Amino acid sequence: MSFTAVQKHPRYRFHAAVDVVTVTAEIQQWPAENISLGGIFLRTNQPPPMGSFLRLRLRGDVDTIGLLGKVVHVIDPRTAADKARPPGIGVQFENLAPKTE
């Protein structure tokens, strides 16, 4: 699914910390701004490059959902300042199981 197709899904405001597992297996928490069936926007001042894969964990009251995502959009701090919006990344979900959807 391309990023354009992902954007066709309705987006919902989603304000929660999302666990991001880095390539060094460090767990960082990045704030989420919105979510859809196709992906999520995470705020970060140090965005990974386009095409990077990330392991994410969304924690709910009862369950934790593990997801694999690919960075498909980057707003670096400089661009964010020009556009008066927070820096961050658009992450496209990869290989979602029907139960996870």
Side-chain angles (χ1 to χ4, degrees):
M1 185 180 298
S2 70
F3 185 61
T4 302
V6 170
Q7 289 180 334
K8 291 181 182 176
H9 294 291
R11 299 217 175 260
Y12 302 96
R13 291 197 185 280
F14 179 72
H15 297 287
V18 174
D19 292 342
V20 178
V21 183
T22 67
V23 291
T24 61
E26 176 187 7
I27 298 173
Q28 298 179 358
Q29 290 191 328
W30 294 353
E33 187 171 292
N34 64 56
I35 192 167
S36 74
L37 178 60
I40 191 167
F41 185 84
L42 301 172
R43 288 183 277 153
T44 177
N45 288 324
Q46 297 178 327
M50 292 272 294
S52 298
F53 284 91
L54 302 173
R55 289 187 307 158
L56 309 174
R57 291 193 303 215
L58 303 177
R59 296 179 183 268
D61 293 336
V62 177
D63 293 328
T64 298
I65 299 172
L67 301 163
L68 176 65
K70 181 179 180 181
V71 177
V72 294
H73 184 68
V74 175
I75 301 173
D76 60 47
R78 184 177 172 166
T79 303
D82 291 344
K83 293 185 175 191
R85 63 166 297 154
I89 56 173
V91 179
Q92 176 181 316
F93 297 138
E94 296 284 318
N95 304 321
L96 286 182
K99 180 181 175 185
T100 304
E101 285 183 4

